Amino acid sequence: MNSSANKFKDVASYIASAPKAVQKTLKQIQATVRKASPEAVEGIAYGMPAYKLNGKPLAYFAVFEHHIGFYATPNAHTAFKKELAKYKQGKGSVQFPIDQPIPLALIEKMVKFNAVGNQPKQTGIPKEILAYNNRQSKGDKLICDKLAKEIDRGLSKAERKIWHAHPVWFLDGNPIVGYSKLKDGVRLMFWSGASFGVKELIPGTGKFKDASVTYASADKIRANDLARWLKKAKDIQWDYKNIVKRKGKLIRMAQK
């Protein structure tokens, strides 16, 4: 292992110092960690490549004579103990033999797991929603994070969960607002938005009362507008939670 803590100025110099036969693999691990957590801070710690998110350790890796050591904190190693069972391990570490394929997909899952755990706890946003956000590209993640923060601020008493594969906020079991990744950005949808009288929200097919806006970048989100729409969303609701019982018919709920 390259053990001098002060020898390398960055990860590129660390990889360049490794045997040529393993440099490609190290670059693949570096790219995988970056992909799993684009906002992570990359550097050198303890003489090896290190990644932190929100000031907390995310992952480390190091090359040895016969293996690559990967360190993703004890929590991640415990969470993926079944997948790691075939490898030699220590507390918070695993050894991937150099002469075998490196499980990049598993590394990506472990880093994403830690990325969720490294989110600021004061947000109160469920881990599964944070995990959804973390799976997006860097730009789309910024949009999702900002939307989640503002929605959570405006609907502080709402239930939050992944519903039909994307984040949705509910009041009394009724879907209110959610967002999802589209080809051209992130769509913010209000289930009763067509009744808000807001020109920025584009109605859907007309079959239901939904309306939405799509953001291509986080700086297009206006917190004041979103706060105003969220207030309308609490006051103007169509009863989606009973739509099956009513055989597809929507009923306007009494204004609260």
Side-chain angles (χ1 to χ4, degrees), residues 36-191:
S37 183
E39 294 183 337
V41 176
E42 182 182 77
I44 296 292
Y46 309 110
M48 59 183 166
Y51 297 82
K52 289 186 176 182
L53 182 65
N54 295 320
K56 300 176 183 178
L58 194 66
Y60 305 81
F61 64 87
V63 62
F64 294 81
E65 184 176 359
H66 299 296
H67 72 272
I68 292 174
F70 185 70
Y71 313 85
T73 78
N75 286 343
H77 287 267
T78 299
F80 294 93
K81 62 182 179 180
K82 289 184 179 180
E83 293 91 333
L84 295 168
K86 65 180 181 179
Y87 300 105
K88 186 175 181 180
Q89 298 177 62
K91 185 178 180 180
S93 68
V94 61
Q95 297 180 13
F96 297 130
I98 288 177
D99 61 353
Q100 297 178 20
I102 300 297
L104 297 175
L106 177 57
I107 288 174
E108 182 176 354
K109 288 194 292 185
M110 293 175 74
V111 173
K112 285 182 176 179
F113 175 88
N114 278 349
V116 172
N118 286 10
Q119 293 294 330
K121 295 187 182 299
Q122 63 269 23
T123 63
I125 298 171
K127 286 186 176 182
E128 58 266 30
I129 291 180
L130 294 176
Y132 176 95
N133 295 355
N134 287 333
R135 289 196 296 270
Q136 311 309 317
S137 66
K138 185 175 181 179
D140 289 336
K141 180 182 182 302
L142 290 174
I143 298 172
C144 291
D145 285 344
K146 189 169 183 179
L147 288 175
K149 179 181 177 181
E150 296 300 331
I151 295 171
D152 227 43
R153 191 198 309 273
L155 297 177
S156 60
K157 296 182 180 180
E159 176 190 4
R160 296 82 38 90
K161 64 182 180 181
I162 297 296
W163 191 55
H164 294 296
H166 65 272
V168 178
W169 277 250
F170 296 78
L171 289 175
D172 299 323
N174 202 41
I176 301 300
V177 62
Y179 55 83
S180 57
K181 176 68 180 80
L182 300 180
K183 184 177 181 180
D184 55 348
V186 177
R187 180 179 65 179
L188 173 68
M189 188 179 86
F190 288 89
W191 263 256

Side-chain angles (χ1 to χ4, degrees), residues 182-222:
L182 300 180
K183 184 177 181 180
D184 55 348
V186 177
R187 180 179 65 179
L188 173 68
M189 188 179 86
F190 288 89
W191 263 256
S192 301
S195 300
F196 293 177
V198 175
K199 65 179 181 179
E200 294 91 342
L201 297 176
I202 308 302
T205 60
K207 182 179 179 180
F208 300 113
K209 300 298 181 180
D210 60 289
S212 62
V213 59
T214 300
Y215 295 107
S217 63
D219 59 8
K220 298 296 184 182
I221 301 171
R222 299 189 180 191

Side-chain angles (χ1 to χ4, degrees), residues 16-27:
S17 74
K20 288 187 177 180
V22 79
Q23 286 183 16
K24 180 179 178 180
T25 299
L26 295 177
K27 288 179 180 179

Side-chain angles (χ1 to χ4, degrees), residues 26-38:
L26 295 177
K27 288 179 180 179
Q28 289 176 328
I29 295 174
Q30 178 191 33
T32 299
V33 176
R34 285 175 166 176
K35 176 185 176 184
S37 183

